[in-house]
Amino acid sequence: MDFTEIYKQSGNIVDFSPGAHFILNAVEDVLIVRRTDTLQITRTWTIGVASDTLKVLSNARQSPSGPTSPTSTDRWISHAGWSCDSEYLFAASAKRATVEVFNLRDENWSARIETGAEGLVKAEWAPDGRNILCFSEWGLRVTIWSIVTGTSTYIQFPIHPDRGYAFRPDARYFLLAERHKSKDTLGIYDVSDSFKLVRHFPLPTANLSSLALSPTGNYLAIWEGILEYKISILSLAGDIQGTFCPSPDPGFGVRNVAWHPTGMFLAVGGWDDKIHILDSLTWSTVSTLELSSRIPSGVTLWREPTNWLESTQGRGFLSYERLQGPQTINLNKVDLTKPNPKSGAVQLEWNKTGTLLLVRYENVPAAVHVYDFPTPSEPFVPRLRCVLLHSKPVLHARWNPIRKGSLVLCCGTQSIFTWSDEWVGEGGEEEEDMAECIGVPANKKYEARDVRWAPDGKGIVLMDRDTFCCAFEVEEGDA
């Protein structure tokens, strides 16, 4: 891998364009666009000052006793993103409740959204790249602003601004979990008809925690909060297809849910270190994966070498230690009497083809478990394939968006870690898998606290607290 120089960023706002030709990042109140091939700056915008009316509203929200002088951080960009065609990009400041939209190719075009007294907690693009969703404070409403017509559509009382909504894969319908008269409901809106309400029905939950729409767009999984382990599957007409409650009662609710890429299976993880695989025919358990301190024979344990960063001075590649045969890993003890115990599946994620399932359990934070999942032509026997064990807790792990068996992760050290089942040996024979530790060649201390793939799967963004760099695969013949 080739690493770039280190650049400043703020708010962890670094994002490849959908075509992977550009990369944007925010530095306080400045939005910067660079070319990915040279990392040279293409465009910059400084976010403008809010109107006088909005200043008064913003100050009143920040200080009940009266207006206050704005601080420098109030101007900082809190959200930014590309439209689906990379033509437009927006930069939002939540504290100032403003969103500014720019055109990458037309310097004279710009638009501005001021959300007003209801405030702003989140902004993001709709899949069509011509509408922007703005979630207000206090769960009052979500406003959809069209940058084509300049009009807005208001939907009241969204439950969660971060996890209570979804777009159907074809981007035709917008699904939003709402709360009306203290009851959970779901609204379905037609994106092609200015987000007109199509259907509205009650949900079988008392305190909705989150929802997940199947990749086929046919089914919606919804689940209760932490006090009840219950997940329901609904059609988009509001009919309940199935309900899953494990027996015996695990004591805490659902923590993570992940649809198989085909929509045929649903992985459900709670706070009890068990992963239940449900099928789409009966919505009952067809397999259960359970965390254990014992790594059985036939499963590879990849262990990060001790003090490898010091010995390599943070440069170059080094393979994990590969341990075969029965092994043992340490699990942290969990106090179930305290709220939000450090247990359960903190991450569930399928690879692109659905043949591998990544699981991170919170009571073994330094490990990543990778499970083999059979194809439709193989006997249905999911099994643990390998465990990657590190000296520090894993902060983020990401599957490659293009390749079926390529994983990158970080642990807050001056390094990243990769695993792949696509390694080809010198003799041309494909090996099972390969895991490597890769040092970040920085002149000063650099902690990779987040990693993100480029859409083409050929580059990676590595982020520290206030800086970032990129790493790109070296093409054959370029080395």
Side-chain angles (χ1 to χ4, degrees):
M1 279 189 173
D2 279 342
F3 289 85
T4 67
E5 296 181 8
I6 297 174
Y7 304 95
K8 291 184 178 180
Q9 59 89 9
S10 61
N12 289 333
I13 301 174
V14 183
D15 194 13
F16 281 100
S17 65
H21 298 299
F22 300 96
I23 185 170
L24 70 79
N25 74 281
V27 180
E28 298 180 358
D29 60 348
V30 179
L31 189 66
I32 302 172
V33 173
R34 303 174 185 271
R35 294 176 55 95
T36 54
D37 54 355
T38 63
L39 270 292
Q40 295 296 313
I41 294 176
T42 301
R43 295 286 302 276
T44 62
W45 297 273
T46 300
I47 304 305
V49 179
S51 65
D52 293 338
T53 301
L54 193 62
K55 288 178 183 178
V56 174
L57 293 172
S58 178
N59 288 335
R61 284 199 305 269
Q62 294 172 14
S63 177
S65 60
T68 58
S69 300
T71 62
S72 59
T73 57
D74 291 344
R75 300 191 300 269
W76 287 19
I77 298 170
S78 60
H79 303 82
W82 294 94
S83 63
C84 59
D85 57 1
S86 304
E87 184 175 352
Y88 297 93
L89 59 165
F90 80 82
S93 174
K95 290 187 177 181
R96 292 187 304 164
T98 59
V99 180
E100 299 197 30
V101 191
F102 306 99
N103 189 302
L104 183 62
R105 295 171 178 81
D106 186 353
E107 297 185 8
N108 297 321
W109 189 96
S110 66
R112 184 184 183 87
I113 299 168
E114 295 188 353
T115 59
E118 73 266 21
L120 178 70
V121 296
K122 182 182 181 181
E124 70 171 59
W125 284 105
D128 64 0
R130 296 299 180 268
N131 289 281
I132 297 177
L133 279 65
C134 297
F135 288 85
S136 69
E137 294 178 340
W138 311 297
L140 292 179
R141 64 187 183 186
V142 54
T143 308
I144 301 98
W145 296 86
S146 171
I147 64 172
V148 176
T149 64
T151 59
S152 59
T153 302
Y154 301 94
I155 305 175
Q156 289 186 313
F157 310 131
I159 296 179
H160 300 297
D162 56 344
R163 61 188 187 276
Y165 63 95
F167 284 90
R168 207 172 72 171
D170 61 2
R172 174 65 186 275
Y173 295 107
F174 174 57
L175 284 67
L176 180 67
E178 306 164 11
R179 181 159 292 139
H180 295 276
K181 297 181 180 179
S182 301
K183 293 184 179 180
D184 295 343
T185 60
L186 186 81
I188 300 179
Y189 301 86
D190 189 344
V191 175
S192 63
D193 192 12
S194 301
F195 287 82
K196 183 180 179 180
L197 179 65
V198 175
R199 186 174 289 112
H200 204 259
F201 54 83
L203 295 175
T205 54
N207 183 23
L208 178 76
S209 176
S210 188
L211 58 80
L213 185 63
S214 68
T216 59
N218 295 334
Y219 301 110
L220 180 70
I222 60 171
W223 55 97
E224 292 279 6
I226 190 175
L227 297 180
E228 183 178 2
Y229 200 130
K230 177 184 175 182
I231 184 167
S232 300
I233 314 298
L234 284 71
S235 69
L236 296 194
D239 300 322
I240 299 177
Q241 306 297 303
T243 301
F244 174 70
C245 299
S247 179
D249 183 8
F252 290 99
V254 176
R255 183 162 190 185
N256 260 304
V257 169
W259 283 98
H260 190 269
T262 64
M264 296 178 61
F265 301 97
L266 183 66
V268 181
W271 301 76
D272 58 347
D273 299 328
K274 292 182 180 179
I275 309 299
H276 301 278
I277 308 297
L278 314 182
D279 72 356
S280 59
L281 297 177
T282 63
W283 303 114
S284 60
T285 303
V286 293
S287 181
T288 300
L289 311 174
E290 187 169 0
L291 175 65
S292 173
S293 60
R294 183 178 180 274
I295 307 299
S297 178
V299 176
T300 303
L301 176 62
W302 296 97
R303 187 169 64 189
E304 179 186 355
T306 304
N307 298 326
W308 72 274
L309 273 173
E310 290 77 4
S311 61
T312 62
Q313 297 182 351
R315 298 174 183 273
F317 297 68
L318 188 66
S319 177
Y320 282 65
E321 297 175 358
R322 183 170 185 168
L323 306 178
Q324 298 283 7
Q327 301 289 333
T328 301
I329 60 176
N330 295 323
L331 307 182
N332 295 341
K333 293 182 179 180
V334 179
D335 187 356
L336 296 178
T337 63
K338 295 182 178 180
N340 298 320
K342 300 294 184 180
S343 64
V346 70
Q347 181 181 2
L348 282 176
E349 188 175 345
W350 300 93
N351 69 336
K352 178 179 175 60
T353 59
T355 55
L356 298 169
L357 176 64
L358 178 152
V359 184
R360 289 197 295 123
Y361 299 96
E362 193 167 11
N363 55 343
V364 54
V368 170
H369 290 65
V370 178
Y371 294 88
D372 257 330
F373 205 81
T375 62
S377 61
E378 299 173 336
F380 190 81
V381 186
R383 67 175 186 88
L384 180 63
R385 174 167 181 166
C386 66
V387 178
L388 287 80
L389 190 62
H390 307 86
S391 58
K392 291 188 176 183
V394 177
L395 300 182
H396 291 280
R398 318 276 190 189
W399 285 115
N400 189 297
I402 302 299
R403 291 157 52 185
K404 68 178 183 63
S406 180
L407 177 70
V408 65
L409 55 96
C410 63
C411 300
T413 59
Q414 193 170 322
S415 62
I416 57 174
F417 304 89
T418 61
W419 175 88
S420 173
D421 66 354
E422 302 169 345
W423 180 262
V424 179
E426 294 181 357
E429 297 179 358
E430 187 173 346
E431 298 183 1
E432 290 186 357
D433 48 18
M434 175 64 70
E436 292 182 315
C437 314
I438 305 174
V440 179
N443 294 326
K444 60 180 182 178
K445 185 177 180 180
Y446 188 88
E447 297 178 350
R449 307 186 65 83
D450 195 0
V451 286
R452 299 173 187 172
W453 286 102
D456 60 3
K458 296 180 179 180
I460 304 171
V461 165
L462 294 74
M463 285 189 287
D464 200 342
R465 285 186 175 87
D466 54 6
T467 56
F468 80 95
C469 68
C470 297
F472 296 95
E473 292 183 348
V474 179
E475 300 289 343
E476 293 185 7
D478 293 344

